Amino acid sequence: MILKDFFLAQLDREAASTRKAIERVPDGHNSFKPHERSMEFGYLAALVAGMLGWIALMIDRDELNLDAAESDGFRTRPLAGKSDLLASLDSAVANARRALQSTTDEHLATPWAFKMGGKAVSENARSIMISDAVFGHLAHHRGQLTVYLRLVESKVPALYGPSADEYM
């Protein structure tokens, strides 16, 4: 299988699961935090909604240096509500799909770096970064989002198997 085709299929699966979670995010809880060191709900929801867009970033650019002024647009910011979150998700998926469809396996084997403080925090082949820093990282934060959903009394969607809210 061509690697980009594998990623396109995974993008479809992850987008569907992410949409299920984002559709359950209630408006009016952006500032909720389950603990003082936790992210705010609005930030976490915006992060989850936009993460699939990182695929395009990793294909189109050679690095993301958060210290650079031109990288400010890549910083996550809370969004006003569910409709904005869904629009962000749709945009992220469209950008990821465009980038994946236009790339090659050879390009996916070239290095990509995430930098902060003048140093590479993470650097690896684009394919590994997409697998780990996007898909794996997204699963972590989407799971975290389902905990927040439970804590604000929203129904938790079935993502990888049954949910007590959907099948019990």
Side-chain angles (χ1 to χ4, degrees):
M1 175 180 260
I2 296 172
L3 192 53
K4 74 178 192 174
D5 292 337
F6 174 79
F7 283 146
L8 282 162
Q10 189 169 9
L11 174 65
D12 289 339
R13 292 188 307 273
E14 296 296 333
S17 291
T18 301
R19 178 170 294 284
K20 283 179 166 182
I22 294 297
E23 286 173 341
R24 302 291 174 92
V25 173
D27 289 336
H29 289 275
N30 270 6
S31 62
F32 171 76
K33 291 169 65 165
H35 188 274
E36 65 187 43
R37 290 183 299 214
S38 298
M39 290 181 221
E40 289 189 351
F41 198 175
Y43 177 87
L44 177 60
L47 178 66
V48 169
M51 285 180 80
L52 290 170
W54 296 359
I55 294 170
L57 170 71
M58 291 176 180
I59 291 172
D60 296 342
R61 297 174 54 149
D62 291 331
E63 68 179 33
L64 174 61
N65 182 346
L66 285 184
D67 298 326
E70 65 271 10
S71 295
D72 191 53
F74 295 104
R75 292 185 181 269
T76 300
R77 290 177 178 76
L79 299 171
K82 189 183 317 188
S83 62
D84 291 335
L85 291 167
L86 290 169
S88 175
L89 173 61
D90 290 340
S91 175
V93 171
N95 287 332
R97 185 174 318 287
R98 175 211 38 88
L100 284 166
Q101 288 172 336
S102 66
T103 196
T104 64
D105 280 8
E106 291 76 22
H107 183 66
L108 291 172
T110 62
W112 188 85
F114 173 56
K115 296 180 178 179
M116 284 180 69
K119 297 180 182 178
V121 175
S122 184
E123 185 171 359
N124 221 318
R126 291 169 206 270
S127 60
I128 293 171
M129 296 299 290
I130 290 168
S131 180
D132 294 352
V134 179
F135 291 128
H137 196 181
L138 175 60
H140 161 75
H141 283 304
R142 193 174 49 226
Q144 187 180 16
L145 183 66
T146 65
V147 172
Y148 281 50
L149 290 172
R150 174 68 68 221
L151 292 173
V152 298
E153 305 293 328
S154 289
K155 292 184 185 256
V156 175
L159 299 176
Y160 296 107
S163 161
D165 291 324
E166 291 186 2
Y167 295 104
M168 299 295 180

